[in-house]
């Protein structure tokens, strides 16, 4: 184990770890011990599936997008989420079509998909599904899905077309096209009954009758070898528009099979492709868009007529064409990111000057054409997220689990809300250092430079003052020699840029506990300290000691100035303590250095360089001063910063550790590695207590401040996966988990379908393994009576019960009525005079209706029933009296007799007796103690000698009736609770009442233990021994508690004196 003294790091064979990580699992579990998938955040739309828009009444539109296996429906008026589909589809959704109040989702369609089909949703709930075609679902991939009239048309990549009936969802016919390229799109021209136009990459346009399944006509436009990329309807009858790989747009008349005109660049005849491709076309139907201006300055439709065509391409631009003048009137530059695939779909809302666009950058934007000066629109509303997988995650406030900061490879930093997706926002980066001249020169080429490079490290201040008054976030960026600051409250980039003093690339950052200082680690081994308020440099580590000034009278030679050497490798981690006394730096050179924060002096150094153990990441838990280090030998080592010793080595990773973090209470360390396994280690025991194998590699981790959630980022997802901490409501064993017990869990879905929320975790505590079975009813949480028999445990009985028992006499005296109850002078007016009954006695009747007096027979029967009830009560009272006197077995007496019965387990009998006493009210418990049978001690002072042979024979249970002493058995029952350290305050309360009620008899019995003779003396001594045993146990536990309290007082006094 490496330490400050040994200076060595134990190396293990990597082959052993890899062998363990690839062992086949012998059994599968449905739930992890600690984690359960909850939901996924940050998903807006699919990068490959176009959205579907449909009007809802005359006031609004609804947009439906697909996110993996779920559908999300937004309202255009606010772009708020209104529906999320449930249940999730068995495989990824490939096409979405909204029709009336229904949404059709086609999933599967490729060989890699596990399931294929098409479901129908209404208001987010599944209501039907399409019938499977003859021969099974096509595995060549969905190309189009179209609904019109009575038909549902599905097109597949290999040329197959399947037609379903809308009413019954049954297959009507199947059409197989001849060879001629893959299907690009299917449209239904207006007024063409039961007809569709099928466009294929080969360049032909086929018109089919879906009702009869016959080919009507084939249009062969002259494309010169170019391929069709998209097709759509126009605003005129018989006219359709399609685009080609040469970025040209053709307007074609399918009635006459003639090409009307072509929009786009003029290319040589041999050219068949272009650098960018038009992927979607949309025609505007609002006459105010593109309209001209009259001499009076008013808009007129004479010149523009609203005939605007929008063409989205793979570069992320949208070109606006004037269809009358056949020229470009505007270009919406970088409407969506070109690095993510550009435009996926653009569509004008019917009769509106609003256009909806989506792209591969995981964004949904709403544009409005309302400017009187330009044809170009402005963004009205948008919903966005990361367009690339996140690389760094961190919760903004450790005291709450609301906003999660997420940085991605797309150069953006987002604040993601865990409560409401609409509250998520992107932190503004401004120009990020790009000059105005550069931006004006060519906006398109330099648009990407307006954002900083991807974030590689992030640090957030915990100070509340820093969050409000100055920058509280600092980030390191890939390939940059300076760290950037951010102001979270203003949601923008900060004022300062902190450069490294040695010119190296920034590799690590940190912020002090007070929030005033930022630390920047360089790839060349230097650490610089900056003030976040003023932006000034406050020193570096290592720092040269000041050279003392030489006095004139001093002749002795001066020693050279002391210089502390820094790291020789890149600084991979910086940590500061809670009091700003020291900072710890780690590096790839295998050294951990502790520096004095104010003077820059090197305080301590741990050197693992001779073992070739490089440190790749560092985490500090300030409350316990534990420093965790991720090393390149696949081990996480934990150092106690007080003793500078390694206290834990956590092995098991089967690949490079991509990220790790402490839990909110510092008890666990969570580690993610490139073997796609998330491991959780328990620090007190050093055991691996949980493990989850995910479908993709985890790149970043973040544990919420309150411990409810774990956020993870993955290499193949633009969203953030959220996991629920199930241990908030259930206990888990700390038994070491074997590698074969690590389970496979799928990632959470956007809808949360199949996930486990905090409430679900509290209600449903399912066992994870056969060794972790909890013998409790699901949905009911049962608290443990005692954590350990070495701990003094109080009872779960309310405090008011035993306090009232101790002062019951005062309570009765206080509640005593001031005057005796008086009989009312006259009966209420509504009670009439009763008819004379048997013997004129009407008071004994239980209930008599004054309006309908009973007959003599009914009155006699009622009186007989009352007499019988009275006799039953008297008999029960007499029997209970005999129970109290021990004549026959009752409740408390029978339990005491069971305690004295040697044939039954004494501990079990005592447990039953104490449980019964706990259930009693204070008044009942006082009555039970007062009613304990004392006849056993009758004639205690008699001078007659006892005849031991004259006692009656024992009963069948083996108990001598005269040997059952309820007082002694009661004391034994309370003493047993003291030995178990359970119900401490309740047992003392019962004993206090017992001594107060039977004090005189106790004194008499203890005296008889010395003066009596024979059997009476033996009984008295037995009683006295029970009391002495009680006092011994009570004093023993009291002395132990006093010693512990004294120790704690001494420790607190020592800490205060320092």
């Amino acid at each position: 184990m490496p330490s400050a003294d040994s200076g060595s790091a134990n190396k293990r064979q990597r082959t052993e770890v890899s062998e363990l990580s690839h062992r086949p699992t012998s059994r599968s579990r449905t739930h992890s011990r600690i984690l359960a998938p909850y939901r996924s955040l940050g998903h807006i739309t699919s990068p490959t599936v176009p959205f579907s828009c449909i009007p809802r009444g005359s006031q609004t539109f609804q947009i439906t997008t697909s996110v993996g296996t779920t559908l999300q429906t937004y309202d255009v008026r606010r772009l708020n989420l209104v529906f999320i589909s449930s249940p999730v589809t068995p495989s990824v959704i490939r096409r979405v079509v909204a029709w009336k109040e229904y949404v059709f989702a086609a999933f599967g369609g490729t060989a890699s998909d596990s399931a294929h089909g098409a479901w129908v949703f209404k208001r987010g709930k599944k209501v039907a599904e399409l019938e499977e075609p003859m021969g099974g679902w096509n595995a060549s991939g969905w190309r189009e899905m179209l609904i019109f009239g009575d038909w549902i048309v599905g097109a597949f990549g290999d040329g197959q077309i399947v037609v379903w009936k809308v009413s019954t969802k049954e297959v009507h016919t199947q059409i197989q096209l001849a060879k001629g390229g893959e299907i690009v799109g299917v449209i239904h021209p207006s007024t063409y009954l039961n007809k569709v136009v099928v466009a294929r990459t080969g360049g032909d346009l086929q018109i089919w009758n879906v009702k009869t399944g016959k080919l009507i006509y084939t249009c062969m436009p002259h494309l010169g070898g170019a391929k069709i990329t998209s097709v759509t309807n126009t605003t005129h009858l018989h006219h359709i528009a399609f685009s080609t790989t040469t970025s040209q747009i053709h307007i074609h008349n399918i009635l006459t099979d003639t090409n009307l005109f072509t929009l786009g660049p003029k290319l040589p005849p041999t050219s068949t492709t272009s650098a960018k491709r038009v992927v979607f076309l949309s025609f505007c139907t609002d006459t105010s868009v593109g309209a001209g201006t009259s001499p009076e300055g008013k808009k007129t439709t004479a010149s523009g007529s609203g005939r605007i065509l929008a063409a989205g391409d793979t570069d992320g631009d949208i070109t606006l064409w004037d269809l009358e003048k056949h020229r470009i009137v505007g270009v919406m530059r970088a409407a969506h990111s070109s690095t993510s695939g550009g435009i996926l779909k653009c569509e004008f809302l019917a009769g509106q000057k609003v256009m909806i666009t989506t792209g591969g950058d995981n964004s949904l934007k709403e544009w409005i054409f309302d400017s009187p000066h330009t044809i170009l629109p402005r963004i009205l509303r948008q919903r966005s997220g990361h367009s690339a997988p996140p690389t760094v995650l961190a919760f903004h406030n450790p005291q709450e689990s609301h906003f999660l900061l997420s940085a991605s490879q797309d150069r953006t930093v987002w604040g993601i809300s865990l409560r409401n997706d609409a509250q998520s926002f992107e932190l503004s980066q401004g120009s990020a250092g790009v000059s105005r001249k550069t931006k004006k020169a060519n906006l398109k080429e330099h648009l990407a430079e307006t954002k900083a490079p991807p974030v590689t490290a992030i640090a957030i201040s915990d100070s509340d003052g820093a969050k409000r008054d100055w920058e509280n976030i600092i980030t390191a960026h890939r390939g940059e020699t300076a760290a950037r600051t951010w102001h979270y409250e203003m949601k923008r980039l900060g004022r300062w840029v902190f450069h490294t003093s040695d010119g190296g690339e920034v590799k690590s950052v940190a912020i002090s506990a007070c929030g005033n200082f930022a630390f920047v680690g360089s790839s060349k081994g230097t650490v610089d300290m900056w003030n976040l308020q003023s932006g000034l440099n406050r020193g570096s580590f290592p720092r040269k000691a000041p050279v003392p000034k030489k006095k004139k009278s001093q002749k002795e030679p001066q020693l050279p100035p002391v210089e502390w050497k820094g790291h020789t490798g890149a600084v991979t981690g910086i940590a500061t303590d809670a009091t700003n006394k020291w900072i710890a730096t780690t590096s790839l050179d295998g050294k951990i250095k502790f520096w004095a924060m104010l003077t820059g002096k090197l305080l301590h150094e741990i050197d693992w360089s001779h073992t070739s153990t490089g440190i790749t990441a560092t985490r500090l838990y300030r409350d316990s001063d534990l420093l965790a280090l991720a090393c390149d030998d696949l081990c996480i080592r934990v150092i106690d910063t007080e003793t500078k010793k390694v206290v834990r080595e956590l092995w098991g990773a089967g690949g490079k550790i991509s990220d790790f973090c402490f839990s909110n209470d510092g008890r666990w360390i969570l580690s993610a590695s490139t073997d796609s396994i998330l491991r959780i280690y328990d620090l007190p025991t050093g055991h691996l207590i949980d493990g989850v194998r995910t479908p993709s590699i985890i790149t970043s981790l973040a544990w919420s401040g309150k411990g409810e959630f774990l956020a993870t980022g993955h290499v193949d997802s633009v969203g953030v996966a959220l996991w629920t901490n199930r241990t908030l409501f259930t206990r888990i064993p700390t038994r070491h988990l074997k590698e074969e017990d690590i389970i496979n869990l799928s990632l959470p879905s956007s809808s949360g379908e199949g996930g486990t929320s905090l409430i679900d975790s509290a209600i449903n505590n399912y066992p994870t393994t056969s060794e972790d079975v909890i013998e409790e009813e699901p949905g009911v949480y049962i608290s443990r009576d005692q954590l350990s028999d070495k701990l003094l445990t109080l009872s779960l009985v309310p405090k008011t019960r035993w306090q009232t028992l101790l002062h019951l006499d005062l309570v009765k005296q206080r509640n005593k009525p001031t005057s005796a109850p008086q009989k009312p002078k006259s009966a209420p007016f509504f009670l009439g005079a009763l008819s004379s009954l048997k013997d004129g006695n009407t008071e004994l009747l239980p209930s008599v209706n004054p309006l309908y007096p009973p007959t003599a027979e009914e009155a006699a029967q009622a009186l007989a029933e009352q007499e019988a009830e009275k006799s039953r009560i008297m008999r029960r009272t007499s029997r209970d009296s005999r129970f109290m006197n021990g004549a026959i077995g009752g409740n408390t007496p029978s339990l005491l007799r069971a305690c004295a019965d040697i044939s039954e387990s004494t501990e079990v009998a005592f447990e039953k007796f104490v449980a019964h006493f706990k259930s009693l009210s204070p008044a009942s418990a006082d009555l039970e103690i007062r009613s304990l049978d004392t006849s056993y001690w009758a004639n205690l002072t008699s001078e007659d000698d006892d005849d031991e042979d004259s006692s009656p024979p024992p009963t069948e249970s083996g108990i001598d009736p005269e040997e059952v002493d309820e007082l002694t058995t009661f004391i034994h029952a309370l003493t047993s609770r003291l030995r178990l350290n359970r119900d401490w305050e309740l047992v003392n309360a019962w004993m206090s009442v017992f001594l107060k009620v039977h004090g005189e008899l106790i004194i008499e019995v203890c005296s008889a233990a010395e003066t009596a003779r024979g059997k009476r003396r033996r009984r008295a001594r037995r009683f006295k021994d029970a009391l002495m045993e009680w006092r011994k146990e009570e004093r023993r536990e009291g002395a132990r508690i006093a010693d512990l309290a004294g120790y704690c007082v001494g420790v607190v006094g020592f800490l205060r004196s320092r």
Side-chain angles (χ1 to χ4, degrees), residues 488-674:
Y488 180 82
E489 296 296 330
M490 296 184 180
K491 299 179 177 60
R492 63 171 177 80
L493 199 66
R495 300 167 293 172
W496 317 121
V497 176
F498 298 147
H499 293 269
T500 56
S501 59
D502 57 3
E505 180 183 346
V506 178
K507 290 296 184 179
S508 57
V509 291
I511 297 180
S512 62
C514 63
N516 292 327
F517 300 99
F519 301 88
V520 180
S522 168
S523 60
K524 296 183 179 180
T526 303
V527 178
D528 295 281
M529 181 171 63
W530 298 80
N531 189 290
L532 283 170
Q533 299 184 56
S534 62
L536 299 178
N537 188 286
R538 295 304 184 187
S540 61
F541 305 90
R543 188 183 311 171
K544 291 184 178 181
V547 180
K549 296 182 179 180
K550 180 179 180 180
K551 298 181 180 179
K552 295 182 179 180
S553 60
Q554 190 175 8
K555 297 182 180 179
E556 292 81 3
Q558 296 295 318
L559 295 176
V562 180
E563 183 177 357
W564 296 289
K565 294 183 179 180
H567 292 284
T568 57
V571 178
T572 56
I574 305 173
T576 65
D577 70 327
T579 57
N580 288 351
K581 290 184 178 180
W582 53 263
I583 70 168
T585 60
T586 60
S587 173
L588 291 176
D589 59 7
K591 296 180 180 179
I592 305 103
K593 295 178 181 288
F594 293 86
W595 310 84
M597 184 171 173
L598 296 180
T599 62
K601 180 181 178 181
L602 181 62
L603 302 177
H604 194 85
E605 178 180 320
I606 302 176
D607 189 2
W608 297 341
S609 58
H610 61 282
T611 61
S612 301
T613 302
I615 302 171
T616 59
T618 302
R619 301 290 184 269
L620 174 68
Y621 188 73
R622 285 178 177 150
D623 292 346
S624 60
D625 284 339
L626 292 180
L627 186 68
L629 312 173
C631 304
D632 54 9
D633 60 352
L634 310 184
C635 176
I636 298 178
R637 294 179 172 86
V638 183
I639 296 178
D640 186 353
T641 58
E642 287 290 333
T643 61
K644 308 299 187 297
K645 301 286 186 180
V646 175
V647 295
R648 287 290 182 272
E649 283 188 347
L650 307 176
W651 296 87
K656 179 183 177 181
I657 299 174
S658 56
D659 197 9
F660 73 106
C661 66
F662 280 95
S663 62
N664 64 309
D665 57 359
R667 183 179 179 87
W668 302 331
I669 286 184
L670 296 87
S671 168
S673 53
T674 55

Side-chain angles (χ1 to χ4, degrees), residues 44 57 138 216 302 323 368 377-378 407 411 518 823 873 890 935 987 989 1034:
I44 305 299
N138 196 307
I216 306 300
L323 297 179
I368 184 169
R378 62 179 178 89
R411 302 184 173 190
K823 184 178 180 180
I873 294 175
S935 61
V987 169
E1034 198 274 338

Side-chain angles (χ1 to χ4, degrees), residues 223-360:
L223 303 180
K227 296 181 180 181
I228 298 177
T229 58
S230 66
V231 62
T232 187
N233 285 314
T234 66
T235 55
H236 291 72
L237 294 178
H238 315 305
H239 297 173
I240 66 171
F242 61 89
S243 60
T244 63
T245 53
T246 59
S247 297
Q248 292 181 333
I249 303 171
H250 300 265
I251 308 298
H252 196 85
N253 189 327
I254 59 175
L255 184 63
T256 61
D257 192 12
T258 57
N259 188 54
L260 300 180
F261 57 89
T262 301
L263 305 175
K266 293 182 179 181
L267 301 174
T270 57
S271 178
T272 59
T273 59
S274 176
K276 63 179 181 179
R277 294 184 298 109
V278 176
V279 294
F280 211 91
L281 303 173
S282 180
F283 290 84
C284 179
T285 57
D286 186 270
T287 57
S288 64
V289 178
T293 305
S294 65
E296 291 80 10
K298 298 181 179 181
K299 278 195 172 184
T300 176
T301 59
S303 60
S305 301
R307 298 177 181 178
I308 298 297
L309 168 64
D313 57 43
T314 54
D315 282 356
D317 300 336
I318 298 177
T319 305
L320 303 177
W321 291 87
D322 188 331
L323 297 179
E324 286 191 346
K325 300 181 179 180
H326 300 178
R327 66 181 180 87
I328 297 176
V329 294
V331 178
M332 300 165 56
R333 299 287 184 184
H336 290 272
S337 174
S338 60
T339 58
S340 303
I343 302 296
L344 179 62
K345 182 178 181 179
C346 58
E347 180 179 348
F348 281 97
L349 299 182
Q352 304 291 326
K353 54 183 178 182
V354 176
M355 181 173 61
I356 308 297
T357 63
T358 58

Side-chain angles (χ1 to χ4, degrees), residues 771-814:
E771 301 180 15
D772 303 336
V773 175
I774 303 174
E775 298 180 357
E776 298 173 0
E777 180 184 359
V780 179
Y781 177 76
I782 301 176
S783 177
R784 300 183 63 181
D785 293 336
Q786 190 177 25
L787 298 178
S788 173
D789 56 357
K790 297 181 180 180
L791 298 177
L792 182 64
T793 306
L794 304 181
S795 67
L796 298 179
V797 176
K799 184 179 180 181
T800 55
R801 279 198 182 183
W802 61 268
Q803 286 185 342
T804 303
L805 178 63
L806 292 175
H807 307 287
L808 190 60
D809 295 339
L810 296 178
V811 175
K812 290 182 178 180
Q813 185 67 23
R814 182 185 59 191

